[in-house]
Amino acid sequence: MNAVRVVVTRPEREAAGWVQALQAHGLQAEALPLIDIVALAETPALQQAWREIDAYSALMFVSGNAVDGFFTSNQAAALVDRAQAAPDSVASTGPRWLAPGPGTVAALRRAGVPDALIDAPAADAGQFDSEALWAVLGRRHWQGRRVLIVRGQGAGQDQAGGAGRDWLAQQFVAAGARVDVVAVYQRRAPVFTEAQRQRIDAAAHDGSVWLLSSSEALAHLPAGDWSRARAVATHPRIAEAARAAGWGVVVQSRPEITDIVGSIESMSP
């Protein structure tokens, strides 16, 4: 296992924690972010959401980056202070805080949101995504209620970040809810250094295992021959995108450290 090199492609801040965790399991992990995260200035859409924040039944965050971007506002801290001061009453009358997976849950906890107010897939869920979150929420009464989705946007997208096509937003609307969407950060393609470009070229052929956590990130890689490249993908859609891009070996894994390490072990000769 010590000979296995793992390339962590998450955004820089997230990648550091994953590199450390993988190294603790004896792997030679390194960070090579394939997405840059850039905070957005407070937009008119976000300002409008804050004016109406008490009308929302739920605040849904697509990622830890969405939580971090939301909490740059002093108004967010004040909202959490209210929740902490009276968690029982807020749980019944204030907004629920929704997260698709443990990383987003951890970000909400760091921000001070009480566990009693957070809804997320169970820790042993098969996947952590919108579908798994809706399995938790789908039977609740959403008719006439308002939901705010806090997310990022890709480069070139408008402030809604293409959320009109978002599957979870569609489920809320179909259940009778009114959905508003705000973007608090932007996802951009990184500008690779010459050293990073050389590492990308080498890792496509030298047996390194890429940890892929985003379909969008794959499009940021330079064009080349990926037929000898190996990857662990943390979602079926990411695995499908990698195979479609010509990657030689792609193993799907739950996005938990023990599952990822096990998947990497399964790829060893």
Side-chain angles (χ1 to χ4, degrees), residues 7 9 34 210-214 218 221 231-235 238 242 247:
V7 181
T9 62
L34 297 185
W210 294 69
L211 177 56
L212 301 177
S213 306
S214 165
L218 283 170
L221 284 166
V232 171
T234 58
H235 193 277
I238 303 171
W247 286 59

Side-chain angles (χ1 to χ4, degrees), residues 18-251:
W18 280 93
V19 166
Q20 184 177 22
L22 290 166
Q23 289 176 343
H25 283 80
L27 296 165
Q28 296 184 37
E30 60 186 299
L32 207 168
L34 297 185
I35 292 181
D36 280 346
I37 300 297
V38 180
L40 292 174
E42 192 165 302
T43 63
L46 183 56
Q47 293 170 355
Q48 178 68 23
W50 274 116
R51 286 193 291 270
E52 302 176 2
I53 198 70
D54 288 332
Y56 290 106
S57 296
L59 309 176
M60 189 274 171
F61 299 84
V62 302
S63 66
N65 287 311
V67 175
D68 294 341
F70 183 78
F71 275 88
T72 60
S73 170
N74 291 331
Q75 297 179 89
L79 183 61
V80 170
D81 287 344
R82 285 164 47 193
Q84 292 175 329
D88 293 336
S89 62
V90 174
S92 59
T93 63
R96 303 292 299 177
W97 303 68
L98 313 181
T104 310
V105 170
L108 287 171
R109 287 171 175 161
R110 288 195 301 270
V113 179
D115 282 352
L117 303 186
I118 300 173
D119 294 316
D124 59 353
Q127 284 294 332
F128 300 119
D129 53 18
S130 295
E131 290 88 342
L133 178 58
W134 187 247
V136 176
L137 305 173
R139 294 186 179 181
R140 298 184 186 176
H141 177 73
W142 293 105
Q143 184 67 41
R145 299 192 174 185
R146 294 184 64 183
V147 177
L148 179 66
I149 295 179
V150 184
R151 61 177 299 160
Q153 66 183 55
Q157 290 179 329
D158 60 21
Q159 291 298 327
R165 299 183 298 276
D166 180 80
W167 183 87
L168 185 60
Q170 293 173 1
Q171 306 314 303
F172 279 119
V173 170
R178 170 181 165 182
V179 177
D180 296 321
V181 180
V182 294
V184 295
Y185 65 93
Q186 187 178 66
R187 303 179 303 276
R188 298 179 183 175
V191 177
F192 297 118
T193 65
E194 182 57 31
Q196 287 175 321
R197 288 186 175 276
Q198 291 177 7
R199 180 65 191 116
I200 288 170
D201 183 65
H205 306 91
D206 67 4
S208 295
V209 176
W210 294 69
L211 177 56
L212 301 177
S213 306
S214 165
S215 300
E216 181 180 2
L218 283 170
H220 296 163
L221 284 166
D225 178 11
W226 295 96
S227 62
R228 293 170 56 193
R230 306 195 301 168
V232 171
T234 58
H235 193 277
R237 286 190 288 269
I238 303 171
E240 181 181 352
R243 293 183 183 114
W247 286 59
V249 178
V250 181
V251 175

